[in-house]
Amino acid sequence: MNHARATLLVALACTRAVGAQDEPVLAPSTAVIPVRFPHREALYWTIETIPAPKTVVPEITGILPLGDDRVMVCTRRGDVFTIAGASTATPTWTLFTDGLQEPLGLAMKSSDRFPWIYVAQRGELSRMLDGNNDGRVDRSETLCDSWQISGNYHEYCFGPIFDGDGNAIITLNIPFGARPFGVMPWRGWAMRVSPDGTMTPFAGGLRSPSSIGRSPAGDIFYADNQGEWCPMNKLSPLTEGGWYGHPFGSLDAFDAKSRVAYPVPTVDGAPDTLGASRPVRPDGSPLDYPDGKRIMAAKEQMPTLVLPAVWFPYDKMGRSAAGFVWDTTHGKFGPFDGQIIIADQYAACLMRADLEQIDGVWQGACFPFRSGLACGAIRVAWDRDHSLLVGETSRGWASLGIATEGLQRVRWTGETPFEILHMRAQHDGFEIEFTTPVDAASAQNPQSWRMSSFTYLLHAPYGSPEVDTQSLSVQPATLSADRRHIFLHVDGLRECFVHELHAEGVRSVDGDSLLHADAYYTLNKRPAK
Amino acid sequence: MRRRTILTIRSSPPFIRALALFTCSILLACDKPAANTASLPGAGVVAVTRDADLLIARSNCIACHAADAAIVAHAGMLPAPTLAHIGDRTTASWIAKFLEGHPHIGATGMRMPNVLTHVPPADVGSVVRDLAAYLASLHADATDPAMESPTTFPAQLNSGERLFRTLGCVGCHPASSDQALADESWLADKWTRPALVEFLLNPARVWPGGQMPNFNLSRDEAMAIASYLLRGQGRSADGSFALTKAPGVSVNYYEGAFIGTGPGPLLTPTRMDTMAEVDIPTIARADAWGARITATLTIPTAGSWQLWIGSDDGSSLSLDGALLMESPGVHGFDWKSATRELTAGPHELLVTYFEGAGNADLRLEWMGPGVARERIPASAYTREAIALRAPSKIDPFTTDASRSPSIPDGRALFAKLGCVQCHGSPDGSSQPSMTERTYAPLAALDTSRGCLAEDAAAAHAPDYAFTATERAALRSRLTDHEALAAALPASESLALHLLALNCTACHARDHVGQPTARALALFEGTADIGEQGRVPPTLTGAGAKLRTTAIDEVLAGTGAVRPYMLARMPQFGRETTAPFAALFAAADNAPAIESDPPMREEVIAEGRQLVGTEGFACIACHGCAGYPAAGVPAIDLSYTYARIRHSWFEKYMRNPAAIYPGTRMPTFWQPGQRVHTEILAGDPSKQIAAIWSYLALGASMPLPKGMIPGSAYELAPTIRPIVLGTFMNGLSARCLAVGFADQLHFVYDVEHRRTAKAWRGRFMDAAGTWFGRAGLLCEPAGIDVIDFPPGDAVAVLDPATNDWPVAIGRESGWQFVGVDRDGDDVPTFRTARGELEVEERIAPAPAVGGAHLIRDIVIRSKRELQGVTVRAWVASAFIRRDQGWQSQGGPTIFAKSGGAFVRETSGEAELLIPVGFRTGSDSVRPYEAHIRLEYVW
């Protein structure tokens, strides 16, 4: 309550501050949230529900396919189950263990001699072993509990995944709402835990880092949820020394263990005499921390601020980006090989992200992919048969869908939809690649395309509106010989802006409209000529 | 006798009348024995000696006339109220009024004599004023008590009235409407509300003999009752309550999980409070609560007004009884608005609200003619209030009297008049007793003189206003020296004790007394089980029914087993009620200690079957170990063994109606019939014995078939242990609660690396961890909770005289290594520090009266460390008992390895077990020790 009020006061204060220096231009109120058509999507990707026994509440927060049609899952209630016959109509759920504290991820490590199951709990990173092979945990070991929890419900711990050196990576949520039990250090930090249990805080400023993933090439990314100091849901590369925007734990950067410098450099590089004792605002953010700045301006003031590879605009895509995987099925899940499938915990949908690197900076586009899940989705994992398992729970956060929790499976029907396959930035426009050949006349008609761009504010209020929105004129140019590539000439590309594309007028050679005609490209770096 | 006494009172000044009517009634107590004993052989004699003994006790004759212990034991000691700090409780003018009224019958039927009989009538006025001035000067504050002007509000008066009516106050204080005004003005003149609240919270500070018992009121309850009792201070001249408007709003606050738009109007609030504006109440906990907020909203200008309600979670807003808008359900902060044409002036506002979990917020805004949208200012709200006018503490005699009263003179008079004989020295100084006179012992009185003279006042003796009947009874009793000195039969002594404390105002007992019809009509209960669910239980045969330990527990306030009964069993003080248990047993011809048949483990399963739905379905009405019954809630079966004597149980099971006519308890075995022949061949004796053996497990009884857990989140271990990772009240946010099917449970606090609590009965409602966004604190759901001493269980004391380390858990260097689960899923918690590794495993051992807790601690070390010590418990003291150590206020601990000893530290005693290592099997830590501790409580 008090916190909420404090936030409100700070919000008001900030709004004024922003107004004083630079009036934000809000998005036009006519912005339309595109309607999704799950029954049409179902022609290409089907959704099945994996039934759970009545005694199990399948609030699935971790999925670990084990092979032989067995899947291990963990739940928010603290249970771990082994599901046998997971693709059959009558799977059996067997309790592997109970008594975990809100586990939010399961993993195994390829270099282990024994089949240890790693799990991130609120207060510790642990690993469990069924040594006598009776289906139940015999031993559970605490690998690391070098952080502490105060008791605030929002102090989640996400992960683990493993980096190339066998270190576990976990992320620690910041608390939210009233904090009657005090404040603990290292909230909003990403941690590397070495095999001997040593914890290294290597990135900070995270808000609600709901999942972590490692790309096939070995790059580590994480997804974050919009809220205060996190203007929008995002997917970001997670790098050592990186700063991600939320000031809650920023003073922990002065701790000797931190591998991150305090994100706001002193003027002209003067020595920082204040350190962790610098003055703070009512919400705990340091007074010198930029508040109400546009992303680019914030980045200019905080050079270590890592720009997200993709922003997921509110409601146009979802509201709470969560678990994600790279499509490593080599075409067995559809045409989006190498791209990212990412779940949304509010919209009960899966989204798609297509990334590229320009001058070493990650950026890319996101697209709608599949809506109509039973419930908000928090975890995704590939089963061995190249179907995608989806763990769902909406408890505490109302979501779309007909259920409050569940485990579902998404399969590709083998049909290829008419979709935008890639959206790639060029110096003066975007190259669009389709999954199937397009009708030339519709693609080359400027009326078929619309584009606008906007950016966000890094500030204390909950989420950011779209600001500085501009419509851009789109000139379709050359269509490739295979009629699957088209270059769109766009004037006025802006760095650190999201470029929103609508292509409702485009038709395939068969006369189909696009399954999803909208795309959102986060342009951090405009490619050179 | 009753009629005459009443006439005496009716002709007394109104305040005496009010006092007599208001207070614990000697009338009823003196009256009833005669009526109830009339049919007994020799009843007349018994009644006369009983009346006389009661009068001796209530007149506190032994304060002056020494008597031997046998006489004192007849009715126990009934000391007069202490007058220490009486200036905090009342005023000089009230004391003077009380003394001038020649008080005879004081509170709780105590006799207060008129001791002014030998003061010349012309001097009485100044004597009284000096006494009053002296007594009023006795207050704790160095300064004069500040005038205070508290306020109450209608809902608080209603709540106080209801508490007064239902808790049992009316048993002794029979307030009725025709007496209400007299009571009101008498009390209103006497007390300030803070003083009355303090008195209600701790009456023994004033009445050490328990004449006003302690009802364990919460401060809110005491405040409500005191406000109700002092409502006379809020009346205006015409007798109506002077309702005023105070700034702010009234809030009824409710704890619990709500849906929709919050609590409805029929619920009883957890608390009632006021606050400045519509907001989150400061008394609200973090999650799972609701509120109803009422106020008068003053609209400044007539016109079209738009009102907004913003809330997280659900809320509604009504104006003048009409629902304007709703924002139902669990949701983030969200505004709703409605527009209405409103007249200028007052409008009745009702806001309902609930908070599920997470953020809580509630705001009202408005916009209307000349007012831009804004938060409704606090100045727009008013609420109903009643100002209480405290009696003036200014001594009226300092200004009115011809001679200012003298405190030193009053102090001298207090001693000289003999007040000190009964009341002791109120200012703590040693005062000389009344005169140099000595008093004849009670057994050697001349009963024609002094207090017992036909006209005591004329004889210048303390005047107790004894009636002729009373005087005759006293004379007859006091002159039969042999009978007076003889010990009373237990039944008679018990009767006297029960009458002296007015137990029969609520509890009937044959040949002693029973509640009045009016009191009987007022008792309320929430369970539909007939009179047994509403009226405090009969004491007839109670000595044969209850174990003496159970009677002691009830009297100590720890034995309440009828949560459905609104009347509350108060405490009279441990010393006052110490003889009761033995008297009950003796009076009802029961041995002090019941010899039970041994519990037979081999029939526990059958007993469990019979109690469950496969048998007699006892659980249809009776809860088990804290789990509620399927239907109406009769007494929890897990209490049976600890409370009930086996002999009584056997009789009651065979024919309940023979003991409690009208009981809802069915007769299961009709004579000659066999039922449930599949269980123990239907043999009633064997079946009853099996049920008894099952009930002997107490709160650790495995649940019978058909018992349904209370909430969707209730965890009920059946076969394997359940482990729940949770955040528990008073412990860290990182706890592992472990529940066993044997209904003994414990919690290990991982953050502090220690076993923290153990309990029996229900395990846990996981809603705090499993509902909504979670983060609510969980509590043990069962009973018999013990708290392990904070701190590490294992330490290295080198030298052995070192204090136990203060730093705990990770601060003292202990790492949490992990948890092992054995083949039965029983967890073992592992910690390590330096060369030491410790494993701790806890499991239940079923036993009579509730499972014992077996705690196995295995310590391994890399080398043979000196000074390694296990601390089993910390208490204020330990008593050696049956090879074990009984801790003060805690469990008895049996250390299975030798060498346990108690070490006294500053104000505490620690039960320590020195660790002796042997060679173990671990190659890294080859030195090993096993400590087994058994906890019994």
Side-chain angles (χ1 to χ4, degrees):
Chain A
M1 163 187 78
N2 293 332
H3 173 71
R5 191 144 307 131
T7 307
L8 177 77
L9 292 173
V10 171
L12 291 170
C14 298
T15 312
R16 281 192 205 102
V18 169
Q21 46 176 267
D22 195 0
E23 195 67 31
V25 185
L26 297 184
S29 58
T30 52
V32 175
I33 297 167
V35 179
R36 308 294 172 212
F37 297 99
H39 61 279
R40 208 180 143 201
E41 294 166 342
L43 298 174
Y44 309 97
W45 283 275
T46 58
I47 299 173
E48 306 153 19
T49 297
I50 297 176
K54 274 185 182 166
T55 50
V56 173
V57 180
E59 299 172 333
I60 305 300
T61 52
I63 306 172
L64 184 64
L66 299 173
D68 301 332
D69 208 17
R70 290 183 310 135
V71 176
M72 181 170 281
V73 294
C74 63
T75 74
R76 283 175 84 182
R77 292 189 165 195
D79 296 327
V80 180
F81 295 95
T82 310
I83 306 170
S87 64
T88 66
T90 53
T92 56
W93 295 55
T94 308
L95 187 70
F96 184 62
T97 189
D98 62 1
L100 304 184
Q101 259 190 304
E102 212 146 358
L104 295 177
L106 294 174
M108 289 178 84
K109 193 166 156 183
S110 52
S111 55
D112 276 347
R113 227 179 105 206
F114 298 106
W116 288 99
I117 309 286
Y118 292 77
V119 59
Q121 306 184 53
R122 274 180 179 270
E124 63 177 70
L125 174 66
S126 15
R127 61 177 192 171
M128 309 173 286
L129 187 67
D130 170 18
N132 61 7
N133 216 20
D134 67 349
R136 292 240 178 192
V137 166
D138 310 317
R139 166 151 290 197
S140 136
E141 290 183 354
T142 300
L143 283 180
C144 177
D145 66 352
S146 301
W147 71 93
Q148 282 170 273
I149 54 177
S150 75
N152 180 285
Y153 77 90
H154 211 249
E155 288 170 326
Y156 298 115
C157 172
F158 299 99
I161 63 156
F162 293 98
D163 68 12
D165 301 325
N167 301 304
I169 311 275
I170 55 172
T171 54
L172 303 180
N173 234 35
I174 57 144
F176 189 72
R179 295 192 283 270
F181 314 109
V183 173
M184 291 294 176
W186 302 122
R187 303 314 309 186
W189 284 73
M191 303 294 186
R192 186 166 57 236
V193 178
S194 67
D196 72 357
T198 308
M199 180 181 92
T200 306
F202 73 93
L206 295 72
R207 180 183 177 274
S208 193
S210 55
S211 66
I212 324 165
R214 185 172 165 216
S215 76
D219 296 304
I220 292 171
F221 283 74
Y222 91 102
D224 211 335
N225 281 188
Q226 64 118 24
E228 70 295 339
W229 299 106
C230 183
M232 193 44 56
N233 293 301
K234 64 184 184 183
L235 182 70
S236 300
L238 188 58
T239 53
E240 172 125 1
W243 186 253
Y244 291 84
H246 200 299
F248 183 83
S250 57
L251 298 183
D252 296 333
F254 294 103
D255 188 290
K257 285 197 277 298
S258 166
R259 294 294 177 87
V260 182
Y262 178 69
V264 190
T266 52
V267 181
D268 302 331
D272 189 333
T273 53
L274 291 170
S277 59
R278 65 207 321 111
V280 296
R281 303 185 185 106
D283 71 340
S285 60
L287 273 184
D288 62 347
Y289 197 88
D291 184 3
K293 294 237 161 127
R294 283 158 180 72
I295 295 304
M296 183 182 275
K299 169 77 178 164
E300 278 164 9
Q301 194 173 344
M302 295 191 288
T304 54
L305 185 69
V306 178
L307 297 173
V310 176
W311 297 104
F312 298 93
Y314 196 72
D315 272 344
K316 295 171 180 172
M317 292 298 287
R319 287 188 183 177
S320 301
F324 59 93
V325 288
W326 278 263
D327 183 346
T328 51
T329 64
H330 302 300
K332 298 203 173 62
F333 189 67
F336 305 120
D337 190 36
Q339 298 191 24
I340 293 168
I341 306 292
I342 178 165
D344 192 276
Q345 207 194 338
Y346 162 77
C349 74
L350 300 175
M351 308 177 289
R352 173 164 66 89
D354 178 26
L355 307 188
E356 58 183 344
Q357 240 179 335
I358 307 292
D359 298 342
V361 177
W362 284 104
Q363 61 187 37
C366 61
F367 313 85
F369 173 67
R370 178 64 163 101
S371 56
L373 294 170
C375 174
I378 180 166
R379 288 288 170 265
V380 283
W382 293 114
D383 204 351
R384 304 281 170 107
D385 65 356
H386 309 298
S387 63
L388 188 66
L389 295 163
V390 186
E392 301 165 7
T393 166
S394 69
R395 166 156 56 98
W397 285 267
S399 82
L400 302 184
I402 53 167
T404 49
E405 64 277 317
L407 178 61
Q408 295 195 300
R409 184 190 295 276
V410 178
R411 286 184 201 276
W412 184 42
T413 61
E415 295 291 317
T416 298
F418 177 44
E419 285 275 62
I420 298 174
L421 179 59
H422 294 292
M423 179 172 180
R424 296 189 180 103
Q426 305 287 331
H427 179 67
D428 46 8
F430 292 95
E431 188 194 327
I432 306 295
E433 181 179 347
F434 297 95
T435 52
T436 60
V438 292
D439 162 58
S442 68
Q444 286 173 323
N445 179 358
Q447 300 302 314
S448 297
W449 306 90
R450 278 188 298 129
M451 182 170 264
S452 58
S453 66
F454 53 84
T455 188
Y456 296 114
L457 303 172
L458 182 67
H459 63 179
Y462 195 97
S464 166
E466 298 172 357
V467 297
D468 299 351
T469 305
Q470 266 182 15
S471 289
L472 305 173
S473 82
V474 181
Q475 289 301 323
T478 347
L479 184 64
S480 67
D482 63 1
R483 291 195 289 179
R484 289 182 54 216
H485 298 73
I486 191 165
F487 177 71
L488 304 178
H489 180 94
V490 181
D491 277 332
L493 295 186
R494 293 183 288 180
E495 289 187 347
C496 292
F497 275 64
V498 177
H499 290 73
E500 175 174 345
L501 178 69
H502 289 268
E504 279 85 2
V506 177
R507 293 290 176 274
S508 75
V509 288
D510 299 328
D512 282 346
S513 58
L514 285 159
L515 182 56
H516 302 102
D518 49 330
Y520 307 85
Y521 190 96
T522 298
L523 185 75
N524 293 324
K525 196 87 186 171
R526 190 175 170 196
K529 246 177 193 164
Chain B
M1 183 175 82
R2 183 182 192 182
R3 189 173 297 277
R4 279 197 58 183
T5 317
I6 286 175
L7 284 174
T8 310
I9 289 174
R10 288 271 187 240
S11 60
S12 300
F15 41 88
I16 292 298
R17 203 165 71 214
L19 175 71
L21 292 168
F22 171 73
T23 55
C24 185
S25 166
I26 190 173
L27 311 177
L28 301 170
C30 288
D31 181 42
K32 276 171 297 180
N36 286 323
T37 53
S39 58
L40 290 177
V45 178
V46 169
V48 167
T49 59
R50 191 184 281 180
D51 286 354
D53 284 347
L54 263 183
L55 275 172
I56 292 168
R58 286 176 163 158
S59 304
N60 211 5
C61 303
I62 59 166
C64 293
H65 306 287
D68 61 27
I71 300 171
V72 177
H74 287 181
M77 281 284 287
L78 291 175
T82 167
L83 301 181
H85 300 156
I86 186 179
D88 289 342
R89 301 198 291 279
T90 188
T91 65
S93 57
W94 184 88
I95 296 169
K97 229 163 36 167
F98 176 76
L99 293 173
E100 279 179 334
H102 304 312
H104 296 305
I105 301 174
T108 71
M110 292 292 287
R111 293 287 173 124
M112 163 87 181
N114 177 7
V115 293
L116 305 177
T117 49
H118 63 278
V119 177
D123 293 346
V124 166
S126 77
V127 163
V128 162
R129 270 175 271 157
D130 287 347
L131 275 172
Y134 163 59
L135 291 172
S137 75
L138 301 171
H139 48 77
D141 298 326
T143 57
D144 222 30
M147 297 274 292
E148 74 126 32
S149 48
T151 61
T152 180
F153 45 98
Q156 192 176 43
L157 291 185
N158 290 342
S159 153
E161 189 273 338
R162 182 171 166 73
L163 285 166
F164 188 79
R165 186 159 39 83
T166 55
L167 287 183
C169 310
V170 289
C172 293
H173 306 279
S176 66
S177 55
D178 58 328
Q179 294 155 4
L181 281 173
D183 292 353
E184 269 185 39
S185 64
W186 178 251
L187 288 167
D189 285 349
K190 179 176 181 185
W191 292 93
T192 62
R193 189 175 64 179
L196 185 51
V197 167
E198 291 311 313
F199 173 69
L200 291 171
L201 289 174
N202 187 6
R205 263 181 43 192
V206 176
W207 282 103
Q211 291 96 326
M212 167 71 189
N214 189 331
F215 278 79
N216 284 320
L217 301 172
S218 69
R219 189 161 279 277
D220 279 350
E221 289 173 333
M223 189 74 98
I225 294 174
S227 300
Y228 166 66
L229 293 176
L230 300 183
R231 64 198 179 282
Q233 296 178 351
R235 300 241 189 232
S236 52
D238 64 359
S240 65
F241 282 117
L243 279 177
T244 61
K245 287 288 180 186
V249 303
S250 303
V251 55
N252 284 4
Y253 165 77
Y254 309 79
E255 291 190 343
F258 293 98
I259 56 169
T261 58
L266 300 178
L267 294 174
T268 307
T270 311
R271 290 192 62 176
M272 291 177 300
D273 202 359
T274 60
M275 53 186 178
E277 57 186 321
V278 175
D279 202 344
I280 300 294
T282 52
I283 54 175
R285 60 182 182 182
D287 292 309
W289 57 271
R292 292 175 67 83
I293 300 171
T294 52
T296 302
L297 180 67
T298 302
I299 296 290
T301 327
S304 177
W305 284 83
Q306 188 171 7
L307 300 177
W308 284 264
I309 186 164
S311 65
D312 168 0
D313 295 303
S315 64
S316 77
L317 186 152
S318 304
L319 209 57
D320 299 321
L323 182 67
L324 237 60
M325 49 194 151
E326 289 183 302
S327 181
V330 172
H331 54 72
F333 188 81
D334 195 17
W335 288 106
K336 299 278 176 192
S337 90
T339 305
R340 288 288 182 284
E341 288 295 322
L342 295 175
T343 55
H347 294 268
E348 289 312 308
L349 174 75
L350 166 68
V351 170
T352 67
Y353 169 81
F354 81 93
E355 159 62 2
N359 267 9
D361 205 349
L362 173 64
R363 284 176 249 163
L364 292 196
E365 295 186 352
W366 68 4
M367 182 172 74
V371 178
R373 180 172 171 177
E374 62 173 10
R375 185 176 183 126
I376 298 181
S379 58
Y381 299 112
T382 49
R383 61 181 175 86
E384 285 189 329
I386 300 167
L388 297 178
R389 293 179 309 277
S392 169
K393 292 251 174 182
I394 298 168
D395 187 342
F397 312 118
T398 54
T399 51
D400 298 353
S402 51
R403 179 180 77 86
S404 286
S406 156
I407 291 175
D409 288 357
R411 186 164 178 272
L413 282 163
F414 191 83
K416 184 165 172 255
L417 293 172
C419 310
V420 72
Q421 295 289 125
C422 286
H423 293 289
S425 166
D427 57 10
S429 65
S430 59
Q431 301 213 12
S433 54
M434 185 169 162
T435 60
E436 294 72 34
R437 275 180 57 188
T438 53
Y439 300 93
L442 198 64
L445 286 183
D446 176 350
T447 56
S448 64
R449 296 179 49 234
C451 311
L452 286 176
E454 294 295 331
D455 188 342
H460 301 308
D463 179 8
Y464 285 86
F466 293 128
T467 65
T469 317
E470 288 170 344
R471 200 177 298 115
L474 284 169
R475 284 175 174 166
S476 143
R477 185 72 170 139
L478 290 170
T479 46
D480 186 349
H481 298 151
E482 198 177 324
L484 185 63
L488 290 176
S491 60
E492 190 52 29
S493 183
L494 177 64
L496 275 172
H497 278 80
L498 295 177
L499 290 169
L501 294 178
N502 211 13
C503 303
T504 52
C506 294
H507 300 275
R509 182 169 165 92
D510 282 356
H511 317 308
V512 179
Q514 59 181 8
T516 62
R518 178 176 165 73
L520 281 173
L522 288 176
F523 290 124
E524 286 184 32
T526 56
D528 180 19
I529 47 174
E531 300 291 280
Q532 283 180 306
R534 188 175 77 78
V535 179
T538 175
L539 299 181
T540 304
K545 171 186 178 181
L546 296 171
R547 298 180 190 269
T548 49
T549 47
I551 293 175
D552 282 336
E553 284 203 358
V554 169
L555 292 167
T558 53
V561 294
R562 298 179 175 86
Y564 44 81
M565 194 172 280
L566 296 191
R568 198 177 288 176
M569 175 71 190
Q571 280 75 66
F572 296 81
R574 207 170 275 272
E575 274 183 40
T576 306
T577 54
F580 276 56
L583 284 175
F584 266 109
D588 291 334
N589 300 314
I593 305 292
E594 179 87 359
S595 55
D596 289 331
M599 180 184 84
R600 292 172 49 219
E601 266 191 80
E602 66 276 16
V603 293
I604 286 177
E606 281 81 2
R608 181 182 180 187
Q609 206 181 346
L610 286 163
V611 167
T613 45
E614 290 171 343
F616 297 117
C618 310
I619 56 168
C621 297
H622 291 280
C624 275
Y627 289 91
V632 294
I635 295 180
D636 194 304
L637 291 177
S638 65
Y639 298 133
T640 310
Y641 180 84
R643 293 179 65 237
I644 303 293
R645 291 170 182 267
H646 176 261
S647 50
W648 188 91
F649 178 80
E650 176 88 28
K651 270 186 229 155
Y652 187 62
M653 289 298 282
R654 285 178 187 274
N655 189 357
I659 295 181
Y660 292 138
T663 181
R664 302 277 168 99
M665 172 95 169
T667 305
F668 296 108
W669 297 273
Q670 300 300 336
Q673 276 187 11
R674 293 190 166 217
V675 279
H676 287 296
T677 48
E678 74 283 6
I679 305 171
L680 298 169
D683 181 325
S685 299
K686 286 185 180 164
Q687 288 182 338
I688 290 172
I691 293 173
W692 179 257
S693 288
Y694 169 61
L695 297 183
L697 296 175
S700 57
M701 50 172 43
L703 291 183
K705 189 156 187 177
M707 203 84 234
I708 302 160
S711 89
Y713 301 97
E714 172 116 22
L715 298 179
T718 48
I719 302 165
R720 287 171 180 268
I722 292 176
V723 180
L724 172 70
T726 185
F727 182 2
M728 287 187 68
N729 200 3
L731 304 179
S732 85
R734 204 174 150 211
C735 288
L736 294 175
V738 183
F740 290 98
D742 289 308
Q743 303 297 353
L744 179 141
H745 323 290
F746 74 98
V747 57
Y748 186 90
D749 187 331
V750 178
E751 183 59 32
H752 297 153
R753 284 87 158 117
R754 72 176 187 106
T755 298
K757 286 173 185 289
W759 65 96
R760 298 196 188 96
R762 292 166 82 166
F763 172 42
M764 188 164 282
D765 186 331
T769 302
W770 287 1
F771 173 75
R773 295 184 184 185
L776 295 191
L777 305 184
C778 284
E779 303 265 8
I783 55 176
D784 301 350
V785 182
I786 56 169
D787 287 290
F788 283 73
D792 300 336
V794 178
V796 182
L797 301 182
D798 193 13
T801 50
N802 275 1
D803 283 346
W804 200 262
V806 176
I808 57 166
R810 69 168 80 213
E811 274 72 42
S812 63
W814 287 99
Q815 283 299 311
F816 187 69
V817 175
V819 190
D820 287 353
R821 304 287 286 269
D822 67 13
D824 296 324
D825 275 357
V826 177
T828 297
F829 299 95
R830 299 190 297 137
T831 52
R833 188 182 69 183
E835 295 153 308
L836 289 172
E837 187 177 82
V838 174
E839 291 180 3
E840 182 166 345
R841 180 185 191 273
I842 282 178
V848 171
H852 301 175
L853 181 150
I854 308 289
R855 183 183 192 191
D856 285 306
I857 297 175
V858 178
I859 303 167
R860 293 191 189 88
S861 177
K862 285 181 180 166
R863 62 190 177 94
E864 197 164 5
L865 276 173
Q866 297 302 307
V868 179
T869 311
V870 169
R871 188 166 71 167
W873 202 257
V874 177
S876 57
F878 289 89
I879 303 165
R880 202 82 171 93
R881 193 184 143 203
D882 305 337
Q883 310 296 314
W885 302 87
Q886 184 179 14
S887 63
Q888 180 76 45
T892 301
I893 296 140
F894 298 86
K896 302 291 173 182
S897 48
F901 67 99
V902 170
R903 183 171 84 158
E904 306 274 346
T905 55
S906 48
E908 279 185 336
E910 301 172 306
L911 180 60
L912 302 180
I913 296 98
V915 172
F917 287 108
R918 288 180 302 182
T919 309
S921 55
D922 191 276
S923 56
V924 181
R925 293 183 172 88
Y927 296 94
E928 193 169 302
H930 292 240
I931 307 283
R932 168 165 283 204
L933 299 167
E934 184 168 0
Y935 293 72
V936 180
W937 75 102

